[in-house]
């Protein structure tokens, strides 16, 4: 009898607690979810997120309305999202800039560590350093050696001061005491032709150079990611070459701070499933990004760590905003 | 080569592909004709539809939309003084005055013919000499961009109207507005007043639509009318063979300028159509009439912007480099289909490449047909009373600018520039130089600063490189010619 009563009490407790927790919004989602995209229509970020959203729709049973709010490489989207209702119906794509970098270099109306609920990271960009295929540098070491021996001679194109690829190059420069000239372009669509035309000696950027590397016009010297690229398995990463440097990169779903735990949990589960969808993996491969899922806890940890790390690098590189 | 193209047509000419091209062109014209919406957006919108299509069909549709959008922008430019896309801004100068003289049909007709001819020319160049042209385009580094932009500043003189001083002032104001946003070299915010919405600068769409369309609505709203009159005298028919013949040299020049500007990444259709317009005015026997409804003005602007379509496809197909935002979106579409544009594409997917080329030619023909229909559909606008046309214009502009980036902030900017445009027109300041200053400043500033980093601060880099020196020489010659023309005009008075 005692056992039965004990069992009944436990049963009651379990149900009671779980119903308390679920009462936040038991049936979420009951209406369409709005997802703010931090980039313009038609770009790689836009395309990958829209496909992710369409898979999530099936998973969650509610339409997801994607809205493009481009500006400041995702900063505009993040600052809008920071002020929205944390009800699980307002989400956005949190990207590298607003999560790790912008707060150190610019005055922005949000604090990436306090103002967001982190849901999941689903992909990262792949970065690397490329040179002309007929240049004398066959390996990254060749290139470094030349740059060291000829201070101020090497110029490299990139898109944007303070971008992940710029921070990687600045760190390398500080470590190896190299003077090279960073030439910021409006995007890889301008920095890659500048390299092909020989106006700069190298280009540091996202894998938009892959077609030219495949066609034999350019040579990839080193990858800035945590792993070698699928398409260029013979090219080493900086880590393998003995530098503890990985380009910060982030494509993720987040929301305003304070989204109830169980909604986060459910969203995270749905995204986890979605990133395993073969259609999604195929698209990410073709866009030359890498699927890199992190659950909400790992993701929150990752942001904290990377935010601090990048802040220090930005300060050292002399790119921090004036306090 | 011809064998390949014939095979391309064989691949292209199916009912499904034809329908795809027709749909693409209609959609493009529609997107172009709505102020604020552009071909780029149209393409981005239909890319998801093409996920499951064969690549040739997909690109037939997307490229149809690109061409349609470039022409579509001229329709509201001519009918309601509103460039449908930024590239159609120069079409406004003579297109709208023509419409007010009852020649809207003629203006739209010549816009269509110029668009189709320029487009056909650049498509042929793309097919036969893309690789060679792309190699020349690669010779353009920061110093060449810088001096090309310095030379392009001389356009200000041709669109300043009566007073060069007022034109230069307006251009300076355009420069100042263009400075707002993140510094191109340092990424530090400039004049953003704490607003992240200004990080990417002031939206060119809000500037164009505010300056031209909203100011026109304000000016029309001022006019007191006893009874509702028709908006403009009813059109007296379309463009004739005579009209076209008188425009052919202009179209030829516009096509060449568009081809060259398109092939150099990052400059774009707006600059190209302004350059073409300015060149047409320079060679004209009656330059003073430009801006009052000269048919060559419309032909110059429209050939200049449509030629950019083939032009921007040159670096895309030959090197895999997108020359403007539209081709950047197209590059994304190629990637989705697992194709990498560039030399490898010609080797590995030559059938697809020639299928796409055939699609470009087909889209050119379809544009001619759909364009003529569009002119018929939109012409009745001229019969509507002003009291109907302008409120609708205001609504369309609001929808379009909001739709562009779903941003209320940009709507505010549009209104602000509407008021600025209104005041400028009241005090007889020309609008075009402001637009030119605004469009050229970012490209020029970045290129000059890049060049100076490369040269370690020495301005000699601009004269020691041949192409760069050539543009500087052109700029000096233009200024010399202009100033002697002004002196002559003064002594005649």
């Amino acid at each position: 009898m005692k056992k039965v009563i004990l069992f009944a009490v436990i049963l009651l407790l379990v149900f009671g607690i779980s119903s308390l927790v679920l009462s936040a919004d038991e049936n979420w989602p009951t209406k369409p979810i709005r997802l703010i995209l931090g980039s313009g229509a038609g770009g790689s970020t836009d395309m990958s997120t829209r496909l992710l959203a369409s898979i999530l729709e099936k998973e969650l049973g509610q339409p997801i309305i994607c809205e493009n709010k481009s500006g400041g490489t995702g900063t505009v989207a993040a600052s809008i999202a920071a002020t929205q209702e944390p009800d699980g119906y307002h989400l956005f794509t949190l990207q590298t800039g607003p999560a790790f970098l912008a707060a150190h270099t610019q005055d922005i109306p949000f604090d990436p560590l306090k103002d967001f609920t982190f849901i999941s990271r689903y992909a990262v960009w792949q970065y690397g350093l490329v040179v002309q295929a007929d240049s004398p540098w066959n390996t990254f070491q060749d290139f470094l050696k030349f740059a060291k021996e000829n201070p101020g001679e090497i110029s490299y194109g990139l898109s944007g001061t303070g971008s992940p690829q710029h921070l990687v190059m600045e760190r390398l420069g500080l470590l190896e005491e190299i003077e090279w000239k960073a030439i910021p372009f409006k995007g890889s669509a301008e920095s890659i032709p500048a390299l092909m035309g020989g106006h700069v000696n190298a280009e540091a950027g996202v894998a938009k150079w892959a077609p030219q590397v495949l066609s034999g016009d350019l040579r990839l010297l080193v990858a800035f990611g945590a792993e070698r690229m699928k398409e260029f398995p013979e090219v080493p990463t900086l880590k393998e070459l003995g530098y503890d440097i990985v380009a910060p990169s982030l494509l993720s779903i987040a929301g305003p701070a304070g989204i109830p735990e169980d909604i986060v949990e459910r969203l995270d589960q749905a995204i986890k499933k979605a990133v395993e969808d073969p259609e999604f993996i195929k698209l990410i491969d073709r866009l030359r990004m890498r699927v890199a899922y992190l659950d909400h806890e790992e993701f929150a940890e990752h942001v904290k760590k990377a935010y601090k790390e990048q802040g220090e690098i930005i300060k050292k590189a002399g790119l921090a905003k004036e306090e | 080569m011809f064998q390949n193209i014939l095979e391309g047509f064989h691949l292209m000419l199916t009912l499904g592909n034809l329908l795809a091209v027709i749909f693409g062109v209609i959609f493009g014209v529609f997107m172009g004709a709505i102020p604020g919406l552009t071909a780029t957006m149209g393409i981005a919108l239909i890319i998801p539809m093409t996920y499951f299509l064969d690549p040739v069909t997909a690109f037939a549709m997307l490229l149809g939309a690109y061409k349609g959008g470039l022409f579509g922008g001229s329709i509201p430019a001519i009918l309601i003084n509103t460039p449908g896309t930024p590239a159609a801004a120069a079409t406004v100068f003579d297109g709208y005055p023509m419409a007010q003289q009852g020649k809207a049909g003629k203006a739209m007709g010549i816009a269509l013919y110029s668009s189709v001819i320029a487009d056909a020319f650049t498509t042929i160049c793309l097919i036969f000499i893309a690789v060679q042209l792309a190699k020349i385009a690669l010779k353009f580094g920061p110093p060449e961009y810088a001096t090309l932009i310095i030379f392009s500043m001389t356009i200000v003189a041709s669109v300043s109207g009566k007073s060069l001083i007022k034109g230069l002032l307006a251009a300076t104001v355009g420069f100042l507005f263009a400075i707002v946003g993140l510094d191109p070299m340092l990424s530090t915010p400039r004049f953003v007043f704490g607003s992240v919405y200004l990080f990417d600068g002031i939206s060119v769409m809000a500037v164009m639509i505010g300056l031209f369309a909203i100011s026109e609505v304000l000016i029309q709203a001022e006019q007191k009318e006893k009874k509702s009159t028709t908006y403009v005298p009813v059109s007296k028919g379309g463009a004739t063979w005579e009209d076209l013949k008188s425009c052919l040299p202009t179209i030829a020049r516009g096509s060449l300028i568009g081809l060259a500007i398109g092939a150099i990444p990052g400059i774009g259709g707006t600059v190209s159509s302004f350059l073409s317009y300015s060149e047409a005015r320079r060679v004209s026997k009656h330059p003073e009439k430009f801006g009052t409804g000269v048919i060559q003005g419309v032909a110059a602007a429209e050939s200049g912007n449509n030629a950019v379509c083939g032009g921007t496809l040159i670096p895309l197909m030959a090197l895999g480099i997108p020359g403007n935002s539209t081709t950047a979106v197209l590059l994304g579409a190629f990637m989705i289909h697992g194709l990498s544009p560039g030399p490898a594409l010609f080797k590995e997917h030559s059938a697809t490449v020639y299928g796409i080329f055939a699609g470009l030619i087909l889209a050119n023909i379809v544009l001619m047909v759909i364009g003529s229909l569009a002119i018929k559909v939109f012409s009745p606008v001229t019969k509507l009373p002003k009291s109907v046309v302008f409120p609708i214009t205001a609504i369309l502009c609001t929808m379009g600018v909001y739709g562009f980036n779903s941003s209320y902030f940009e709507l505010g900017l549009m209104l602000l520039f509407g008021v600025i445009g209104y005041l400028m027109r009241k005090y007889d300041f020309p609008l075009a130089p402001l637009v030119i200053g605004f469009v050229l400043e970012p490209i020029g500033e970045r290129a000059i600063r890049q060049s100076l980093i490369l040269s370690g601060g020495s301005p000699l880099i601009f004269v020691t490189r041949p192409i760069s020196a050539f543009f500087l020489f052109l700029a000096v010659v233009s200024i010399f010619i202009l100033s002697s023309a002004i002196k002559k005009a003064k002594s005649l008075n």
Side-chain angles (χ1 to χ4, degrees), chain A residues 41-44 47 51 67-73 75-76 79-80 105-109 155 160-162 181-186 189-190 192-193 196-197 199-200 211-212 214-215 217 279 283 286-288, chain B residues 44 47 51-52 138-142 144 182 184-189 196-197 199-200 265-266 319-322 328-329 332-333 335-338 340-341 343-344 402 405-407 446 450 453-456 465:
Chain A
S44 308
M47 288 192 281
L51 183 66
E67 261 180 292
N68 293 93
K69 304 260 188 192
S70 66
T73 53
T75 309
V76 167
S79 49
I80 296 169
T105 56
Q106 293 151 357
D107 283 315
I108 47 170
S155 59
T161 296
K181 298 180 205 162
I183 315 284
F185 284 82
K186 207 184 167 193
E190 286 173 29
I192 294 171
M196 294 174 78
H199 307 291
V200 289
Q212 289 79 26
L214 289 172
S215 70
D217 288 310
E279 266 310 302
L283 182 81
R286 285 182 166 181
L287 295 174
R288 299 195 170 94
Chain B
I47 280 181
Y51 277 146
F52 306 104
L138 282 183
K139 294 209 187 323
F140 271 71
E144 287 76 21
L182 294 183
M185 291 288 111
L186 307 171
S187 296
T188 43
V196 285
Y197 294 101
F199 274 17
D200 281 0
L319 307 169
I321 292 163
V329 172
M335 285 161 74
I336 283 181
H337 285 277
S340 285
Y402 180 77
N405 200 14
S406 34
S407 157
R446 185 187 286 273
Q450 284 173 330
I453 300 179
L454 282 171
S455 71
R465 304 185 22 147

Side-chain angles (χ1 to χ4, degrees), chain B residues 29-313:
Chain B
V29 171
F30 172 78
M31 291 297 279
I34 296 202
L37 304 185
T38 60
T40 314
M41 242 189 108
I43 291 173
L45 280 176
I46 51 178
I47 280 181
M49 286 170 57
T50 68
Y51 277 146
F52 306 104
L53 293 177
D54 172 75
V56 171
T57 316
F59 285 99
M61 194 193 281
L62 296 172
L63 293 167
Y66 189 4
K67 295 187 177 197
L70 281 171
F71 162 69
S74 70
I75 296 172
I78 291 163
L79 289 177
I80 52 176
N81 202 29
T82 306
T85 57
T91 312
V92 169
F93 305 154
D94 285 286
Y96 187 57
M98 276 184 82
Q100 287 183 316
Q101 293 153 16
K103 294 189 249 172
K106 211 186 250 310
M108 287 193 284
I110 205 72
L112 178 64
Y113 297 148
S114 323
S115 297
V116 170
I117 294 171
D119 182 50
F121 167 74
T122 51
T123 303
I124 293 167
C125 291
L126 169 70
I127 296 173
F128 291 100
I129 48 171
V131 177
Q132 292 83 342
L133 283 173
K135 277 194 183 133
I136 298 174
L138 282 183
K139 294 209 187 323
F140 271 71
E144 287 76 21
Y145 277 84
T147 49
L148 171 63
I149 295 298
I150 290 171
F151 164 66
S152 302
M153 288 304 301
T154 59
I155 307 171
V156 169
S158 18
V159 291
S160 287
K162 283 168 234 142
S163 162
L164 185 59
I165 297 289
K166 281 185 172 175
L168 288 171
L169 275 172
T172 313
V173 172
F175 257 61
L176 292 176
F177 282 122
I179 286 172
V180 174
L182 294 183
D183 179 289
M185 291 288 111
L186 307 171
S187 296
T188 43
R190 295 192 299 204
F191 304 107
V192 300
F193 304 103
S195 165
V196 285
Y197 294 101
L198 285 173
F199 274 17
D200 281 0
I202 294 171
S203 140
V204 62
M205 202 60 99
V207 172
M208 296 263 187
I209 293 189
L211 277 183
F212 291 109
I214 302 298
S215 73
E216 180 74 18
V217 171
L218 290 175
I219 282 178
Q220 294 293 343
E222 252 182 0
Q223 323 230 312
K224 282 185 193 151
E225 281 176 54
K226 290 191 182 88
K227 60 180 181 195
S228 208
T229 52
T230 43
Y231 162 52
V232 294
V234 174
S235 200
K236 294 184 208 113
T240 59
W241 169 237
E242 288 303 309
D243 292 328
L244 181 60
K245 223 161 72 179
S246 74
C247 288
L248 278 178
T250 310
I251 296 173
R253 275 190 297 271
S255 306
L256 283 171
I257 292 171
L259 178 73
I261 294 291
I264 305 168
I267 298 187
T270 315
V271 176
S272 158
S273 63
F274 273 117
L275 270 176
S276 168
Y277 182 84
S278 159
E279 181 58 19
R281 184 181 181 276
R282 191 186 65 79
V283 299
S284 166
K285 289 198 185 89
H286 304 287
E288 72 285 352
K289 288 201 173 127
F290 271 70
T292 60
V294 179
I295 197 163
Q296 283 85 0
V298 176
E302 278 302 306
S303 56
N305 74 32
N306 265 68
V308 159
C309 171
T312 51
L313 287 171

Side-chain angles (χ1 to χ4, degrees), chain B residues 322-340:
Chain B
N324 63 359
S325 55
T326 319
T327 39
V329 172
L330 280 175
L331 178 64
F334 271 104
M335 285 161 74
I336 283 181
H337 285 277
L339 302 170
S340 285

Side-chain angles (χ1 to χ4, degrees), chain A residues 51-260:
Chain A
L51 183 66
L52 180 77
S54 71
I55 301 169
L56 283 179
E57 278 182 348
K58 284 177 223 148
E59 210 57 58
L60 299 169
Q62 281 291 344
I64 296 180
I65 302 158
C66 295
E67 261 180 292
N68 293 93
K69 304 260 188 192
S70 66
T73 53
T75 309
V76 167
S79 49
I80 296 169
T83 61
Q84 285 180 323
E85 277 299 304
D87 52 6
Y89 295 102
H90 296 91
L91 305 171
F92 76 108
T93 55
L94 179 60
Q95 291 164 245
T96 325
F100 306 146
L101 313 173
H104 302 298
T105 56
Q106 293 151 357
D107 283 315
I108 47 170
F110 59 87
D111 179 342
L113 298 184
K114 287 188 195 137
D115 292 339
F116 302 131
T117 304
F118 302 106
I119 294 162
S120 16
R121 178 178 89 174
Y122 60 90
V124 291
W125 287 96
Q126 309 198 83
Y127 295 89
L129 182 74
V130 287
V131 294
Q132 281 191 338
D134 53 12
S135 75
W137 310 300
N138 287 313
T139 64
F140 182 60
Q141 285 89 339
D142 291 349
F143 183 73
L144 270 191
K145 194 166 162 248
F146 182 89
K148 254 185 177 177
E149 286 166 5
N150 302 279
E153 277 286 298
I154 292 284
S155 59
Y156 68 94
L158 78 166
S159 44
T161 296
S163 56
Q165 61 269 41
H166 185 220
L167 295 176
V168 168
M169 293 299 283
E170 283 290 308
R171 264 174 101 179
L172 279 169
L174 286 172
L175 270 173
E176 296 284 344
E177 296 175 358
I178 294 171
E179 259 181 72
W180 42 30
K181 298 180 205 162
I183 315 284
F185 284 82
K186 207 184 167 193
S188 51
E190 286 173 29
S191 55
I192 294 171
L195 171 62
M196 294 174 78
H199 307 291
V200 289
N201 305 110
E203 202 259 350
V206 289
K208 304 262 180 188
W209 31 252
Q212 289 79 26
V213 175
L214 289 172
S215 70
D217 288 310
L218 299 181
R219 179 184 301 130
L220 176 63
L221 291 181
V222 66
F224 294 169
E227 291 167 29
R228 289 190 181 203
M229 285 177 67
K230 265 188 212 168
E231 262 174 306
F232 307 104
E234 69 290 349
V235 179
T237 62
L238 277 175
K239 268 199 140 160
E240 293 170 44
L241 297 177
Y243 300 96
D244 187 21
I245 301 175
V246 172
S249 182
L250 180 65
L251 260 180
S252 68
I253 302 288
I259 299 180

